[in-house]
């Protein structure tokens, strides 16, 4: 079934000049980009987006990193969109990510790990709505 997911090409990827390669890989994997833009997350956006991690010891560092520079936010569509993107991303820690995955190729550390992808259909819907109005999904 064709469905949707949400991605952030994270600040390290943009800073390192890897955003284009990552977006090309996303397209090569058969995702259709429904909406996308470059933006810089505010403190409030980053805190809200990762609110589920608010009690974790790495939360403040994560917010500082996610607000450190521009990112690409995108709504994506494909069959099995959520699990497929998670597979293409690889494990959270790039050192443990399968060879050839985006995090294995471009991630620098467990924090600076190149890309975000929604972890469920429910969160994909919430995360797309966090950044895009329905009229922007083309
Ligand atoms: P994301 O939600 O960004 O797609 P994920 O689902 O693989 O990543 P989460 O457990 O949701 O991993 O963690 C969110 C983000 O917080 C990670 O992508 C990473 O940037 C950062 N992070 C996770 N664990 C750690 C850690 N132990 N130390 C530092 N940063 C971490
Ligand atoms: Mg996550």
């Amino acid at each position: 079934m064709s469905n949707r997911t949400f991605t952030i090409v994270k600040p390290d990827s943009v800073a390192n000049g890897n955003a284009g390669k990552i977006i090309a890989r996303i397209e090569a994997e058969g995702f259709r980009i429904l909406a996308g833009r470059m933006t810089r997350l505010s403190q409030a956006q980053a805190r809200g987006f990762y609110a589920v991690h608010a009690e974790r010891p790495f939360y403040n560092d994560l917010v500082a990193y996610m607000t450190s520079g521009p990112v690409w936010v995108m709504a994506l569509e494909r069959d099995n969109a959520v699990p497929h993107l998670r597979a293409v991303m690889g494990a959270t820690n790039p050192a443990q990510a399968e060879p050839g995955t985006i995090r294995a190729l471009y991630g620098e550390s467990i924090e600076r790990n190149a890309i975000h992808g929604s972890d469920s259909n429910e969160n994909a819907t919430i995360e797309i709505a966090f950044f895009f109005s329905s009229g922007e999904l083309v």
Side-chain angles (χ1 to χ4, degrees), residues 69-83:
V71 299
W72 284 88
V73 293
M74 291 185 286
L76 305 174
E77 186 171 74
R78 211 205 93 122
D79 62 318
N80 296 314
V82 167

Side-chain angles (χ1 to χ4, degrees), residues 10 50 53 56 58 62 65 86 89 92 103 110-113 115-117:
K10 291 183 174 181
Y50 280 120
H53 295 311
R56 301 285 196 90
F58 58 79
L62 174 61
Y65 155 57
R86 296 285 294 190
M89 287 163 48
T92 305
R103 283 169 165 168
I110 193 168
E111 178 182 81
R112 300 173 64 85
N113 61 2
I115 188 169
H116 161 80

Side-chain angles (χ1 to χ4, degrees), residues 26-39:
I26 287 169
E27 289 185 318
E29 293 288 340
F31 288 97
R32 215 160 61 77
I33 300 171
L34 299 176
R37 66 172 175 273
M38 199 168 82
T39 185

Side-chain angles (χ1 to χ4, degrees), residues 9-72:
V9 181
K10 291 183 174 181
D12 55 315
S13 298
V14 177
N16 293 336
N18 293 323
K21 284 172 277 189
I22 291 170
I23 294 167
R25 173 68 177 276
I26 287 169
E27 289 185 318
E29 293 288 340
F31 288 97
R32 215 160 61 77
I33 300 171
L34 299 176
R37 66 172 175 273
M38 199 168 82
T39 185
R40 185 166 179 169
L41 301 187
S42 68
Q43 289 282 322
Q45 281 179 311
R47 289 190 164 274
F49 189 80
Y50 280 120
V52 65
H53 295 311
E55 304 307 318
R56 301 285 196 90
F58 58 79
Y59 179 65
N60 285 337
D61 280 350
L62 174 61
V63 170
Y65 155 57
M66 289 300 293
T67 58
S68 66
V71 299
W72 284 88

